[in-house]
Amino acid sequence: MRIFVGVCALVLVLGACSDAKKASEVPPAAISTSEYRGMSCSQLRTEAALIRKRTPALEAAVEKSYKHDKNMEAVTWILFWPAVFAMDGNDSESQALSQARGELEAIHASMESKGCRM
């Protein structure tokens, strides 16, 4: 019984070991506006629309990976707790979402500097 209580306490204390992030926790990447300087306002609006169109799918992928990772973490803690430390989170999905968010910020900054309507 003591072992079970100890394992339960350890699970509660270390329950957040995974590096997985929710979509809402993914910050935008730092993207230079220089890539967008040569674009017209129309081209910038089109580029922003394309990125906004794919962003929900990226957010959904991050959320799906986050939920899967958290479920696997819970099962792993119960069945084989040392394996939790080898879990890699959802870095690739988070990076893609971060990139898209950063690109949108850079496009918006370029649009503002050109006086484009958004």
Side-chain angles (χ1 to χ4, degrees), residues 61-88:
V62 169
E63 287 298 318
K64 181 180 179 183
S65 178
Y66 173 80
K67 288 176 184 174
H68 178 267
D69 200 56
K70 288 300 177 181
N71 289 337
M72 290 301 296
E73 182 178 339
V75 169
T76 303
W77 272 113
I78 293 166
L79 298 178
F80 188 66
W81 64 268
V84 171
F85 299 106
M87 295 178 75
D88 63 353

Side-chain angles (χ1 to χ4, degrees), residues 3-117:
I3 293 174
F4 178 74
V5 172
V7 169
C8 288
L10 185 63
V11 168
L12 291 174
V13 171
L14 299 175
C17 285
S18 172
D19 290 338
K21 294 178 184 169
K22 293 181 179 180
S24 62
E25 298 171 336
V26 177
I31 306 293
S32 173
T33 58
S34 63
E35 181 179 338
Y36 303 104
R37 283 193 190 128
M39 293 180 150
S40 68
C41 290
S42 176
Q43 290 171 321
L44 288 168
R45 277 191 288 277
T46 300
E47 187 70 20
L50 290 172
I51 294 170
R52 278 193 297 272
K53 186 177 180 179
R54 71 174 191 207
T55 300
L58 294 171
E59 290 172 345
V62 169
E63 287 298 318
K64 181 180 179 183
S65 178
Y66 173 80
K67 288 176 184 174
H68 178 267
D69 200 56
K70 288 300 177 181
N71 289 337
M72 290 301 296
E73 182 178 339
V75 169
T76 303
W77 272 113
I78 293 166
L79 298 178
F80 188 66
W81 64 268
V84 171
F85 299 106
M87 295 178 75
D88 63 353
N90 60 352
D91 289 341
S92 61
E93 293 88 355
S94 294
Q95 287 174 351
L97 178 58
S98 178
Q99 179 73 22
R101 288 179 174 170
E103 289 171 358
L104 276 175
E105 283 190 355
I107 289 170
H108 285 239
S110 291
M111 291 176 80
E112 286 179 12
S113 72
K114 291 179 181 239
C116 300
R117 289 182 302 143

